[in-house]
Amino acid sequence: MEIKKFTFNPFPVNTYVVWDKETKEGVIIDAGCYYADEQEALEEYIRQNGIEIKHLLVTHLHLDHNFGNAYVARTFGVQPEAAQADEFLLEMMEGQAAMFGMKLPDKPIPVGHYLQEGDEIKIGHSVLRAIAVPGHSPGSLVFYAPDADAAFVGDVLFRESIGRTDLPRGNYAQLISGIREKLLTLPEHTILYSGHGPESSIGYEKRNNPYLR
């Protein structure tokens, strides 16, 4: 499994292209591309490597992770896939962007397919398994690739930190419980690819994350 990280938009958000080098099948996780040059960089990487984008996966529907959904849908013919519990956030995106003095590059587009706990997304010879870890948002999902020892955790877990829970329908106790029960039980060498900031690992967070001691 090949993993390419881009860091896009003013927040800044990590967008991932995850693909199989043999079959060339791939997915985009959290299309955060806001500016035209960010959209072009994403498309150029995909075109240059001959990747066939099969899915647009969304860890959660906060605006910063979804700026590029309409662009990706137009360009690669895939619709956002996310948890239904986060769908209410689509109606809030334009207002939230205005609060930051920003205008959305496109109107929010609807979720094309709902994902839930246990769903599996195939990428060539590999699988991404959806794990529901609500708390940062009610529909936050983690995409775990056991064959690659990787987990794309969105804003659930960061290096030595966790996601905010003071946003609409956030829940601190729910987030901590989900991390402990569903993520910290993964193999310690699992690499964590977060929605912001650098990579980490399950083992490192067990030993160093002050929120999880």
Side-chain angles (χ1 to χ4, degrees), residues 15-19 24-31 42 46 51-58 69 72-73 76-82 112-115 119-124 126-128 143:
T15 292
Y16 298 96
V17 178
V18 183
W19 57 290
K24 300 290 187 175
E25 292 181 348
V27 303
I28 296 169
I29 300 177
D30 289 354
L42 179 64
I46 291 167
I51 303 166
E52 181 186 5
I53 297 298
K54 307 291 285 186
H55 301 272
L56 169 56
L57 304 181
V58 183
N69 287 356
V72 168
F76 301 106
V78 291
Q79 300 297 314
E81 302 180 32
H113 177 70
Y114 296 129
L115 295 173
D119 283 350
E120 293 190 344
I121 300 96
K122 292 184 179 179
I123 314 170
S126 300
V127 169
L128 289 172
F143 298 107

Side-chain angles (χ1 to χ4, degrees), residues 3 16 33 50 80 115-116 132 149 176-177 199 202:
I3 300 169
Y16 298 96
C33 43
L115 295 173
Q116 57 188 355
D149 296 318
I176 294 297
S177 175
E199 292 77 38
I202 292 295

Side-chain angles (χ1 to χ4, degrees), residues 60 62 133-138 140 155-156 163-165 167-168 170-171 175:
H60 62 296
H62 287 153
V133 188
H136 175 64
S137 73
S140 286
D155 288 2
V156 168
R164 292 175 58 179
T165 57
L167 300 171
N171 186 308
L175 178 62

